[in-house]
Structure formats: C-alpha cells, structure tokens
Amino acid sequence: MALLIGVPKETAAGEKRVATVPEVVEKLIKLGFSVAVESGAGDGANCADDTYRAAGAEVVPTAAALWAKADIVFKVRPPSPAEVALMREGGTLIGFVWPAQNPELMQQLAAKRATVLAIDALPRQLSRAQKMDALTSQAGVSGYRAVIEAANAFGRFFNGQITAAGKVPPAKVFIAGAGVAGLAAIGTAANLGAIVRANDTRAEVADQVVSLGGEFVKVDYEEEGSGGGGYAKVMSEGFQAAQREMYAKQAREVDIIITTALIPGKPAPKLLTAEMVRSMRPGSVIVDMAAEQGGNCELTEPGQAVVKHGVTIVGYTDLASRLAKQSSTLYSNNLLRLTEELCKTKDGTVNVNFEDDAIRGLTVIKEGTVTWPAPPIKMPAAPPKPPAAAPAPKGHGHGSSEPMSAQSLAIVFGVGALLFLLVGAYAPASFLSHFTVFVLACFVGYMVVWNVTPALHTPLMSVTNAISSIIAIGALVQVAPPLDAAGAANRPNALILGLAVVALALTAINMFGGFAVTRRMLAMFRK
C-alpha cells in the first residue's frame, strides 16, 4: 500500500522554508507516494497552495489533520513537543533533528515508536551521499546570504571605484572558516569586488580559497585541523593562541569579518574577543554564522543585529530562511534523493536498510529504538605504499642522479657521430633523407610535447595531436610526392594513394575533434 508523505508548516519563529516544493511533489508521486501539504506551508517560499494542488498534492487545512494521517513527515526544523504529540504512532520523520543537542526530543520520538532519519546525521564522507547532503546545500545558501547581510550593514561599496567625486577603496573582508559556507561567502564577496582573505584549520582548503579569488591567511603554527566528515577538529592550546594573534591582526585591518566555525556536538568556538571588536574601525561589520550555537564572537546576540563599539554584529540564525525559495528547492531535492534510496522499488513504500551505510548513518531512531550514534563507517583501506627504492650507487651509470661528466658526454656524442657517419657513407640517399626527418621529428616532438607540464594541456592535445600532425605530413608527402631530377612526379600506386588519402582524412577528423573537445573543456572554466 502506498504511503502518504505529509509536509506541515514550519512552526519555528521566522522560519519561511518548506520541506517540499511543487516541482518535487510531482517526482514523489512518480515514486508511488501520495503527498499532503498543510495549507500555507509554502507561503514563505512563494509556493502557494494552488501550485501544490496543480502538482497533485492534497492540501490539508490544519496541522493536526496532517500529522494524524501522514505515514512519513518531511520537516525542516526539529519538531516541537506539540508537533511530536500530534505524530501518529509508528510514523516516520525525516528532517533536521540534531540528536546530540536534543536528547529530550529523541526520547519523545522514541516513545512514539517512530522511525527518525536525521538529515544532519548523514555520513558526509561517503561520495554517494553528496546528493542527499542538506547541510552542504543549506550552508551554501547561508554563506551567500551572510555576504548580502554584511553588504547591507556596511556603509560603502564592496568594489573599489575612482570617480569625479572621489576615490572609493575596495572593502576588505576576512572569512574565518573555509567550509561550504565559508567558500560560498568567499566567492560572493570576491564577485562583488572586495579584497577577500580567509583562514581555516584545514590546510587542504587553501587552494580552494585561492581558486575563488581569496587569499589564504596561514596561522604561524603547524597542526593538522581535519576532524573527518568535512568538519574541523578542536585544536591545541598552542594553535589557538597563534590563531587568536592572527585574528587580532586581521580585525585591525579589515572592514568585514564573517565567521563560520562550528564543531559538531560542541558549542561554537570563540574566535573574536571583545577586545578584537573594539580594535575594529567604526562602521565595520561582523556576521556571525555560528550564532545559533552560541556564536564565534563574544559579543554576538543570537537572532539579533546589534551595534557595539561602533561595530555592527549580525547574529541572525535564519540566514538560509532569508532566501526561502532557493533553500527550500535545494532542501526538497535532497529529501527527494533520500526518498529514492529508501524506495528503490518505486512502489510508494520505504525500506530502512541498515546494510546501506548512508541510511544507517541517517537513522537515529528505528521503530522506537534509539540507534544513534551509528557505528563508524569502514572506509576502504589505503593502498600500501611501494617499498622505498634502494639508493642508487654513486657513479655515472644507468639510474645515477648525478649529471654526466664532460668526458662521458664527449664519448656519447662521439659514438653517435660515428654511427651517423656510417649511415651517411653506406645508406642510400632516399633512406638518409627519411632518417634525417625521423631524427628531427623525434627531437622536436620531445621538446614540444614532453617538456610541457602535463597540467597545462590535456593528453588529447599533447600526444594525440602531435602524432596526428606527423601522420598528416607523411600522408601529404605520399599524396603529392616531390619531383625527381628530371622534373617528373613519382606517382605512387593506387593502393598507397588510397591509404594516404584515408589516413589524411582520419587524421584531420582527429585533430579538429581534439581541439573542439579541448575548447569545450576550457569553456567550463570561463564565466
């Protein structure tokens, strides 16, 4: 029997997102489910009731009616105690739950014998889980919105301008944390023309920061900060002291600071002290994206934008909700992909399969039994490192890392010259001309192709087109051979002529196709 998916209106203050948009409703129905939406659930995201009806969903007038009839409930925010009370016994809940921060909610849901899939508990280290990763999709929206809020509170252009009325310097933006939200903020601020700097405890994100137009600011302390699952770990006291010194310097220099630092299951780390805020120029802005977990700034007031020491501190906890249409669309697509994994038979039923690592990680309660936290995922073992090669003996033989001596080089060139002399003395003239072309082609091919850094060209361009050029020249020589001493052309027989023409045609197709494919690849990186 097909199950009913219910989408209630979010009851959290200021929350405008909705768990499913009309475009996704149609796809859920194709999976065999029926869908019911509470009246007004999508109003904040510009999804009217009529659009849900047109997509095939039933619009239910009240939350109580929807919770009572829904087999599966899609939500954005964790349910309130009142909503849990409305939930039917043995139902399924899918949405953000935050089990580590909400132990009482977990007990209430377990008492309802519910099955709960917390989208925030998704094992993000699995590549196949990326399509279901709502944390990433919502963080990207939040990072973009954080820059928009900073621009709104800032009293100047982001980009520098020189006008008849005067010169406007570009804004300087520092972003603490280069995760998904931080990278989205870096790209947005750079596109607006600001000078962007960023820092993260994970050194591997430095290249990503630079690729988005930012400058990576390194802490003068060596320590690896990756904590697994795409998060950072708690750093040592020595690192934190060096980091605070770096933040204090940036606070004195920049106009805008955006903080994104979060550690799962722990309060947000305090990165900006009151003294750092006092050192900032009047009119500066701080956007604290970690405000909901206590904030990265000591002076942040969650949910509020306040001015302290002349600095505007934005502590909004609903950044994603401020772009409700966009974030709702992305979130509903994440839930759709999860539903596809739960309903591979497309018959409107779900199978919470614990053999699937992604589903096991998501499931925090199954039929009233708390199953969180999930056991660690066994990732494939790294391939063994090859044994270290024995050091080559010193000398000038094969495999020596030392340059060849002048005497050895003279011997090699002497032997080569002798071989060329013998070839020139006894080989026919036609062979000698072909041999000379062959040697020059090898030399030019080596210098042109293999001396170029592989990262600067595709294998299709470097090797295939180089070889194709040699084939094309050879085919042209066969099609239009040079004249002999009497001025007559040595016409090849029909077979050789036919093969040369075919080779020339195929080579031309390969060369033009290679350049066309390379052009399309390069176009992917152009704006």
Side-chain angles (χ1 to χ4, degrees):
M1 180 179 177
L3 300 178
L4 173 67
I5 295 175
V7 182
K9 185 176 182 178
E10 296 296 321
T11 59
E15 182 58 69
K16 298 178 181 179
R17 289 175 291 177
V18 62
T20 298
V21 296
E23 296 82 2
V24 173
V25 167
E26 298 176 354
K27 298 174 182 178
L28 291 172
I29 292 173
K30 289 181 181 179
L31 288 175
F33 297 95
S34 54
V35 181
V37 181
E38 183 184 349
S39 179
D43 288 350
N46 297 321
C47 298
D49 291 348
D50 288 342
T51 61
Y52 284 107
R53 291 191 183 95
E58 175 190 0
V59 177
V60 179
T62 65
L66 184 131
W67 282 91
K69 67 189 302 185
D71 300 297
I72 304 170
V73 175
F74 284 0
K75 269 190 62 62
V76 180
R77 296 272 186 168
S80 64
E83 288 176 313
V84 175
L86 295 174
M87 187 176 184
R88 62 184 297 179
E89 290 280 333
T92 299
L93 173 68
I94 301 177
F96 285 104
V97 177
W98 305 109
Q101 289 89 345
N102 296 306
E104 294 182 3
L105 174 61
M106 292 284 288
Q107 294 302 320
Q108 293 169 2
L109 290 168
K112 282 281 187 177
R113 294 188 297 108
T115 296
V116 180
L117 281 76
I119 201 73
D120 49 273
L122 180 74
R124 303 169 76 188
Q125 63 268 40
L126 297 176
S127 59
R128 56 179 291 268
Q130 293 178 0
K131 61 185 179 181
M132 301 177 277
D133 190 358
L135 283 172
T136 294
S137 66
Q138 302 305 290
V141 175
S142 298
Y144 173 89
R145 184 68 190 196
V147 176
I148 302 303
E149 294 294 341
N152 180 59
F154 190 50
R156 222 174 58 220
F157 297 139
F158 262 44
N159 62 319
Q161 295 186 14
I162 298 177
T163 69
K167 179 181 178 181
V168 180
K172 294 181 180 180
V173 180
F174 177 71
I175 296 170
V180 176
L183 292 174
I186 292 167
T188 305
N191 288 337
L192 288 175
I195 297 173
V196 184
R197 304 168 184 170
N199 166 262
D200 197 281
T201 58
R202 298 159 293 183
E204 65 267 19
V205 304
D207 291 339
Q208 300 176 46
V209 171
V210 174
S211 69
L212 289 170
E215 174 193 351
F216 188 79
V217 182
K218 193 174 184 297
V219 177
D220 190 18
Y221 193 97
E222 294 297 330
E223 183 176 350
E224 175 54 43
S226 293
Y231 294 100
K233 70 176 185 180
V234 179
M235 306 301 286
S236 67
E237 285 297 328
F239 182 92
Q240 291 181 34
Q243 187 183 52
R244 283 192 294 270
E245 183 178 346
M246 182 269 293
Y247 283 152
K249 179 182 177 182
Q250 294 299 321
R252 293 190 296 268
E253 296 179 358
V254 302
D255 304 300
I256 296 168
I257 297 178
I258 299 175
T259 65
T260 70
L262 281 173
I263 298 173
K266 297 181 180 293
K270 299 299 181 185
L271 305 180
L272 301 178
T273 63
E275 183 59 34
M276 294 179 194
V277 176
R278 279 193 289 269
S279 71
M280 297 180 72
R281 290 190 287 264
S284 299
V285 179
I286 296 173
V287 180
D288 193 339
M289 295 184 63
E292 193 166 8
Q293 302 300 323
N296 296 137
C297 177
E298 288 183 351
L299 303 181
T300 296
E301 296 184 12
Q304 303 293 325
V306 296
V307 178
K308 296 184 178 181
H309 307 295
V311 178
T312 302
I313 304 173
V314 179
Y316 296 147
T317 58
D318 60 346
L319 290 172
S321 182
R322 288 170 180 257
L323 287 170
K325 178 64 175 180
Q326 181 68 76
S327 53
S328 296
T329 300
L330 295 175
Y331 182 68
S332 58
N333 279 320
N334 294 140
L335 295 192
L336 171 65
R337 302 308 172 199
L338 171 56
T339 307
E340 289 174 342
E341 293 295 316
L342 294 170
C343 181
K344 294 184 177 180
T345 55
K346 297 184 179 181
D347 58 356
T349 61
V350 296
N351 175 28
V352 182
N353 180 17
F354 272 22
E355 298 298 320
D356 186 323
D357 287 335
I359 301 302
R360 176 62 189 91
L362 283 166
T363 308
V364 296
I365 301 175
K366 186 174 183 181
E367 297 175 356
T369 302
V370 176
T371 58
W372 181 85
I377 295 175
K378 295 181 180 178
M379 301 300 290
K385 293 183 179 179
K394 290 187 177 181
H396 309 298
H398 177 69
S400 174
S401 60
E402 295 184 4
M404 188 179 295
S405 66
Q407 182 180 0
S408 299
L409 189 63
I411 293 173
V412 171
F413 271 99
V415 172
L418 181 61
L419 291 175
F420 275 107
L421 180 63
L422 292 174
V423 170
Y426 296 101
S430 59
F431 173 81
L432 190 60
S433 63
H434 287 302
F435 183 70
T436 303
V437 172
F438 172 75
V439 172
L440 289 175
C442 291
F443 176 75
V444 173
Y446 176 81
M447 296 302 295
V448 170
V449 177
W450 271 267
N451 275 6
V452 177
T453 304
L456 299 181
H457 52 61
T458 67
L460 188 65
M461 276 282 291
S462 62
V463 181
T464 309
N465 284 352
I467 296 172
S468 298
S469 301
I470 298 172
I471 296 172
I473 293 172
L476 287 172
V477 171
Q478 294 299 326
V479 172
L483 301 178
D484 58 15
N490 297 317
R491 296 293 178 187
N493 60 43
L495 177 61
I496 294 177
L497 182 62
L499 290 174
V501 171
V502 171
L504 189 60
L506 293 177
T507 302
I509 292 172
N510 186 54
M511 291 174 65
F512 284 108
F515 282 109
V517 170
T518 303
R519 182 176 178 276
R520 293 185 63 181
M521 292 175 62
L522 294 175
M524 295 170 59
F525 299 95
R526 295 195 183 102
K527 293 184 179 179

